[in-house]
Amino acid sequence: MFHFPKSSPKQARRIVLILLLSLVYYGTAEISRRVAATPQSVTPVWPPDGFALAAVLIYGYQILPGVFIGSFLANIWAFIKTDSLIHALISVRQVVAIACGTTIGIGLGKYLLDVQIRRRNPLKKLNDLCIFLFSVGILTPIINATVGVLALTICGTVPWANFNVVWLTWWISNVSGIYIFTPVLISWYEYLRLQKNRRRQRAFLSLSRYGQQLTTLLKNPKLFEALSLIAIIVLVSYASFYQSLHFEYMLIPCLVWAVVRFGTLGVTNLIALITMLAVFGTVRGLGSFSSEDVNNALIRLQLFTLVIVITNLSLMATLNEKTQTVTQLQRSKFRLQEKSNQLEASKTQLKETAQLLAQQNTALEEAKQTAEKASHTKTKFLSNMSHELRTPLNAILGLVEILKDSDNLDDFEKEDLETISDSGRHLLNLIEDILDISRIEAGKVELYPQEVDVFQFLQSIKGIIQSQIKQNVEFICDFAETLPPVIYVDEKRLRQVLLNLLHNAVKFTNRGHVIFRVQHQPNDDQNILNGDSTYVLLDFTVEDSGIGMEPDQLGFIFRPFEQTGKAKFKAKGTGLGLAISQEIVRLMGGEITVTSAPAVGSKFRFELCVDIPNAPQNPSSTNESLFAFDRDLAQKLPLKILLAEDNPTNQRVMTKILKNLGYGAVDVAGDGLTALAAVKDHAYDVILMDIQMPKMDGLETTRQLLALPLESRPYIIALTANAIEHDRIACLEAGMDDYVTKPVHLESLIQALWRSQSCRLNQEANFGLGNESSLRRMP
């Protein structure tokens, strides 16, 4: 039993097509020689090339071997010499050359049509027809005739003296064959394909329906017209080509009639019929083209054939284009009519929609007012919640800062206080998560970069996480030695992101390790000089050997309130940390990426391009003023300070903090009215203004204070637990110069005090220039 590959049906079909083409080529060649050849063995029309080109155009290059085989068989019996083995081999060689020339010519004709008209029917448009007639119909026979006649002359079959005559006869006969028979076969192929599609649409027809169709066909007037046209053509052809009557040009109106009434299929077949009748008569020495000179007779016959072919096919292509244009115009007209009807319907719908929209607008306006009221209520709630949560934390963290500065503590106690301070601030950050997600949803998250000591920043994070590490977990910190000492970044937001990632790593790791890695890209090409600063790329990585995550979980871990892992871990977080961290990193110009596998662990990574200040812009950028109490600050920066604060605990904490900075005499006002009275009686350099106070809040106090006729206006710093962005904007719009949130960061307070001096120096310079309205505002 034979086993055929899956492609055997296609291969079998190809072989069948090749064999059929070779037999058709050989058969038409033999018929032409026997029926349409002159006594000198010259055929005025060579149909095999027309059949071969049509077959290759329809079925592709795969059947070109059939052209070679057919051409070889058609010529081997005409040129074979069997008187000796040498002569036989020479004959075979020249026939092989002829077959190669025919195959190359046909293949080139197929290639030219594919390139220029892209497998369209070359008879449908005038431009395509011209390409077919002049590029393919002429060039293909040139190759065939040149190779064939050269082979015959080289092998001695044809004398060199007869090269031109033989070449011309060969070439014109091939041109005629292609012009006449290739269009016929293409037309029949298109017609049969169309009929096949129609049969598929009809599924099947019963015998009675076939009978009805046959009866309709017989009664069709066009059938009588076609038979009449054929009869006229046969009579005119007989008179012209067999009786020597010069009526041959009467055939042109008949062909024009066929073009108009019967289309491409009709005219191509009638041209073939006329050509065959003309050839049969001429080769027998009869008709209008007969002559004692056979070559002259054949030239006249072939020119007549070419004229009627080119004329009628061109007319057919022109009419087809016109018909297509008219059809397209009718379709466009129909579409325009449909669109017009649709527009009328749309107008009616628009009127109804307008009425509906009016009703909806009323409902939307009511919904808008409701939403604005709800948004205002939400904002007010968040502001109050922020204030109430921050107020007790301000006392806790403020007292811790004071205790850290005590001289009676050993290093371990100071380290514990540092951990308490960092943990308290982390607790503050957790409280802010709820506020942050509201800011993110409203698109109001902003960054406030400042100079940050990289080593102390990383060590503080390390201290917080070190206290949370489990017994069987190793905490590894890998900080590159090439890290810049100071960077310009939003410290609070970067700390928030890193602590979120590290807390997750610790929470989901029971044994193994947690790695906190910060690397610096050393490539100078990544550093961009910009004025007094240099930007550098930092790479942050948090890696753990914890429980890991499934691949399908990685797609939603950055969504708000989404948690992964086991149930016992999910209860330990809000599910907001990663969502907030991703948004913060994106605002900083980076993107958090994650790789993870179950029971292997997870790795979170992001890169940030940060600014490295080359030199401090003012004394507040030094480590002493940023990260520790400077007891001599009052001497460096002598200020008369008023603290407007109603909470007794916060009053005590702030006065102690200011006392440790060297400001022993700090006046305190418990409400806004008292603060206004104090400003009228004393000249203050700085006012630390709380917002929520009895009798008069901080915003109204600031507005009335700015209206006072003071010689030197104090620098007003908002000192408030209201930490939402709209609170900051409200403070600045009320006329305050700076903004510090509770719990108070010592470095933030010191920076604000230094800014007050810069503002005062600018104010005095402006007063000297007569400009009393120019005051520095915090952006």
Side-chain angles (χ1 to χ4, degrees), residues 718-764:
L719 191 65
T720 175
N722 296 340
I724 299 179
E725 177 61 17
H726 86 91
D727 296 321
R728 173 180 172 272
I729 294 173
C731 292
L732 297 179
E733 288 180 347
M736 297 184 184
D737 300 283
D738 219 323
Y739 181 83
V740 177
T741 60
K742 299 176 184 177
V744 176
H745 285 225
L746 179 60
E747 57 269 26
S748 299
L749 177 61
I750 294 175
Q751 287 176 353
L753 294 177
W754 276 110
R755 284 195 291 269
S756 71
Q757 184 192 46
S758 299
C759 181
R760 179 165 297 280
L761 293 176
N762 292 336
Q763 182 181 7
E764 292 175 355

Side-chain angles (χ1 to χ4, degrees), residues 127 132 219 234 247 363 419 560 580 652 654 664 666 670 700 778:
N127 289 339
F132 168 74
K219 293 181 179 180
V234 171
F247 294 160
T419 301
I580 296 172
R652 185 162 61 91
M654 287 306 303
V666 176
E700 182 61 28
M778 179 181 174

Side-chain angles (χ1 to χ4, degrees), residues 172-229:
I172 293 180
S173 64
N174 284 349
V175 172
S176 301
I178 291 174
Y179 277 12
I180 295 169
F181 292 100
T182 299
V184 171
L185 293 181
I186 291 176
S187 300
W188 275 107
Y189 174 77
E190 292 289 337
Y191 173 76
L192 294 175
R193 188 175 65 173
L194 181 61
Q195 294 300 318
K196 184 178 180 181
N197 292 336
R198 289 177 178 175
R199 284 197 298 270
R200 287 178 178 174
Q201 293 175 359
R202 291 194 297 261
F204 73 94
L205 294 174
S206 63
L207 185 59
S208 61
R209 291 191 61 184
Y210 275 117
Q212 293 174 359
Q213 286 190 342
L214 181 59
T215 303
T216 304
L217 179 62
L218 292 175
K219 293 181 179 180
N220 190 348
K222 205 168 184 179
L223 176 62
F224 175 76
E225 182 182 356
L227 294 175
S228 300
L229 180 59

